Amino acid sequence: MPTLILVRHGRSTANTSGVLAGWTPDVALDERGAAQAAALPDRLAGLPISEAVVSPLQRCQETVRPLLGARPELRVHTDERIGECHYGDWTGRKLAELKDEPLMEVVQSHPSAAAFPGGESMRAMQTRAAEAVREWNARVERDHGAGAVYLMCSHGDVIKSLVADALGLHLDLFQRISVEPCSVTAIRYTRLRPYLVRLGDTGNLASLAPHEEPAEGDAPVGGGAGAP
């Protein structure tokens, strides 16, 4: 099955102002986020990306724009299932203010029980995103072959929940995972299990290019020799 490149959107105006943006419209990249997005084509230059799937929110659409400019042949799809968590009544509020809400302790320590007032639960967020990945895995493999690489541009909580899903971690442990703005996380899916091959990477990604020989489904004993 394919390798999924998960890109968190670049730094946004909500990130720098300490606001929980959620699905608030017109949340753009800030100056640093735009620079991070501009650097993305070079970071991904060694990867034969077959498809791009993007959250409908502006900050994700802006993040992939330079990549699409550099690769005009790349097919891009918008999928609401990888959009940000619906934070409901928390949307647009200051994080400094939310830290005193009783629910915040649940979000941090027991997120599988967290449901945002007027919004969705964190379990529902993970479920919809994981279902999207499985459907896109099948579609990309069908159209481009088992060794294909494709990209999704999404949000921090969504990506962390997908990493937890890939690792077989309970959602209650996903807050131990960190993904910075415009970082790249890569998951290689096989018939038997997924492999997390990058987590929150902000550097060069050339070694993620597919090898000439397809990867085996078994874990390498001793850790393996790494990229050629």
Side-chain angles (χ1 to χ4, degrees):
M1 295 183 72
T3 296
L4 169 61
I5 306 297
L6 286 161
V7 178
R8 185 185 171 195
H9 62 78
R11 196 174 76 175
S12 72
T13 54
N15 295 144
T16 47
S17 61
V19 168
L20 188 64
W23 282 71
T24 304
D26 304 322
V27 175
L29 300 182
D30 68 5
E31 185 175 349
R32 181 176 175 184
Q36 290 169 333
L40 199 56
D42 285 343
R43 293 176 61 207
L44 298 172
L47 301 183
I49 298 170
S50 58
E51 307 269 357
V53 186
V54 188
S55 159
L57 294 170
Q58 180 177 332
R59 51 198 183 274
C60 288
Q61 299 283 330
E62 289 182 354
T63 297
V64 299
R65 195 170 294 156
L67 178 64
L68 299 178
R71 303 193 191 195
E73 76 288 352
L74 185 61
R75 289 193 295 177
V76 62
H77 315 268
T78 298
D79 193 328
E80 291 194 357
R81 294 174 298 175
I82 63 166
E84 182 62 283
C85 186
H86 291 275
Y87 294 116
D89 297 344
W90 280 26
T91 302
R93 292 178 62 185
K94 288 279 190 180
L95 290 168
E97 168 191 324
L98 289 171
K99 69 181 178 64
D100 295 325
E101 292 277 357
L103 179 59
M104 183 59 86
E105 184 179 6
V106 181
V107 169
Q108 292 298 321
S109 301
H110 190 19
S112 66
F116 296 97
E120 71 178 334
S121 69
M122 302 199 90
R123 286 180 289 107
M125 174 199 70
Q126 183 186 44
T127 297
R128 62 171 163 83
E131 287 177 350
V133 167
R134 282 159 175 76
E135 288 182 20
W136 278 104
N137 281 347
R139 178 171 172 176
V140 169
E141 181 174 9
R142 180 197 69 204
D143 293 345
H144 303 282
V149 177
Y150 75 107
L151 177 145
M152 280 187 171
C153 184
S154 187
H155 307 265
D157 279 350
V158 175
I159 293 172
K160 287 161 56 178
S161 76
L162 289 171
V163 170
D165 175 76
L167 292 176
L169 291 177
H170 197 283
L171 185 61
D172 285 345
L173 301 178
F174 101 127
Q175 298 291 23
R176 302 183 184 192
I177 298 165
S178 176
V179 290
E180 296 183 8
C182 222
S183 63
V184 169
T185 293
I187 302 171
R188 182 166 290 130
Y189 289 86
T190 74
R191 184 175 64 86
L192 297 179
R193 63 178 69 87
Y195 292 90
L196 179 66
V197 292
R198 287 289 190 282
L199 176 62
D201 196 319
T202 56
N204 184 275
L205 300 160
S207 66
L208 287 176
H211 300 169
E212 291 185 8
E213 296 296 325
E216 297 292 336
D218 289 336
V221 177

